[in-house]
Amino acid sequence: MTDRFATTSPSLSGPAFSGFPVVPSDTVPLPETTRALYVGTGGDVSVLFASGASVTLKAIPGGTLLPIRASRVAATGTTAADIVGLV
Protein backbone atom coordinates (compact mmCIF):
# COMPACT_ATOMS: atom_id res chain seq x y z
CA MET A 1 0.00 0.00 0.00
CA THR A 2 1.27 3.48 -0.82
CA ASP A 3 1.81 5.93 2.05
CA ARG A 4 2.38 9.36 0.57
CA PHE A 5 3.10 10.74 4.05
CA ALA A 6 5.79 8.20 5.00
CA THR A 7 8.56 10.82 4.78
CA THR A 8 6.59 13.54 6.58
CA SER A 9 7.55 14.32 10.17
CA PRO A 10 4.67 14.05 12.65
CA SER A 11 3.41 17.39 13.98
CA LEU A 12 0.78 18.47 16.47
CA SER A 13 -1.37 19.82 13.65
CA GLY A 14 -1.31 16.55 11.70
CA PRO A 15 -3.07 13.25 12.32
CA ALA A 16 -2.02 10.87 15.07
CA PHE A 17 0.82 8.51 14.19
CA SER A 18 0.21 5.83 16.83
CA GLY A 19 -1.92 4.99 19.83
CA PHE A 20 -2.17 2.86 22.97
CA PRO A 21 -4.87 1.79 25.44
CA VAL A 22 -4.99 3.98 28.54
CA VAL A 23 -5.14 2.32 31.95
CA PRO A 24 -6.07 5.02 34.46
CA SER A 25 -3.70 5.13 37.45
CA ASP A 26 -3.10 7.60 40.25
CA THR A 27 0.65 6.91 40.22
CA VAL A 28 1.77 5.41 36.90
CA PRO A 29 2.32 7.87 34.04
CA LEU A 30 1.23 7.08 30.51
CA PRO A 31 3.90 5.37 28.39
CA GLU A 32 4.07 8.53 26.27
CA THR A 33 2.68 12.05 26.53
CA THR A 34 -0.36 12.20 24.29
CA ARG A 35 -1.38 14.61 21.56
CA ALA A 36 -5.01 13.59 22.12
CA LEU A 37 -7.23 11.19 24.06
CA TYR A 38 -10.09 9.25 22.51
CA VAL A 39 -12.91 8.51 24.98
CA GLY A 40 -14.87 5.45 23.85
CA THR A 41 -17.36 5.24 26.70
CA GLY A 42 -18.45 8.57 28.17
CA GLY A 43 -17.93 9.89 31.67
CA ASP A 44 -15.43 12.03 33.58
CA VAL A 45 -11.72 12.03 32.71
CA SER A 46 -9.19 13.16 35.32
CA VAL A 47 -5.93 14.12 33.62
CA LEU A 48 -2.48 15.41 34.46
CA PHE A 49 -1.41 17.68 31.62
CA ALA A 50 2.13 17.76 30.26
CA SER A 51 2.40 21.19 31.95
CA GLY A 52 1.84 19.59 35.38
CA ALA A 53 -1.68 20.98 35.81
CA SER A 54 -4.42 18.53 36.69
CA VAL A 55 -8.13 18.79 36.01
CA THR A 56 -11.21 16.60 35.78
CA LEU A 57 -13.07 17.00 32.51
CA LYS A 58 -16.72 16.33 33.34
CA ALA A 59 -19.39 14.48 31.34
CA ILE A 60 -17.35 13.75 28.23
CA PRO A 61 -19.59 11.98 25.70
CA GLY A 62 -18.53 8.63 24.30
CA GLY A 63 -16.77 8.92 20.96
CA THR A 64 -15.08 12.22 21.85
CA LEU A 65 -11.57 13.14 20.77
CA LEU A 66 -9.89 15.42 23.34
CA PRO A 67 -6.95 17.30 21.78
CA ILE A 68 -4.89 17.41 24.98
CA ARG A 69 -1.27 16.67 25.91
CA ALA A 70 -1.73 14.36 28.90
CA SER A 71 1.01 12.60 30.85
CA ARG A 72 -1.36 10.63 33.11
CA VAL A 73 -5.03 9.72 33.37
CA ALA A 74 -5.88 9.32 37.04
CA ALA A 75 -8.03 6.45 38.29
CA THR A 76 -9.54 8.68 40.98
CA GLY A 77 -12.15 10.86 39.32
CA THR A 78 -12.18 9.00 35.99
CA THR A 79 -15.46 7.27 35.20
CA ALA A 80 -15.05 7.17 31.41
CA ALA A 81 -13.74 3.97 29.83
CA ASP A 82 -12.25 2.65 26.61
CA ILE A 83 -9.76 5.52 26.53
CA VAL A 84 -7.02 5.52 23.90
CA GLY A 85 -3.93 7.71 23.96
CA LEU A 86 -3.02 9.08 20.54
CA VAL A 87 0.49 10.21 19.67
Side-chain angles (χ1 to χ4, degrees), residues 19-25 30-32 34 36-38 45-47 70 72-74 78 80-86:
F20 55 87
V22 170
V23 178
S25 171
L30 296 173
E32 206 172 333
T34 66
L37 292 175
Y38 172 78
V45 181
S46 184
V47 298
R72 186 174 69 220
V73 174
T78 296
D82 304 314
I83 301 171
V84 177
L86 301 173

Side-chain angles (χ1 to χ4, degrees), residues 6-63:
T7 60
T8 304
S9 296
S11 71
L12 289 177
S13 61
F17 185 73
S18 187
F20 55 87
V22 170
V23 178
S25 171
D26 292 334
T27 58
V28 178
L30 296 173
E32 206 172 333
T33 300
T34 66
R35 64 187 307 155
L37 292 175
Y38 172 78
V39 179
T41 302
D44 298 347
V45 181
S46 184
V47 298
L48 177 65
F49 286 96
S51 68
S54 59
V55 67
T56 299
L57 304 165
K58 298 283 192 174
I60 305 300

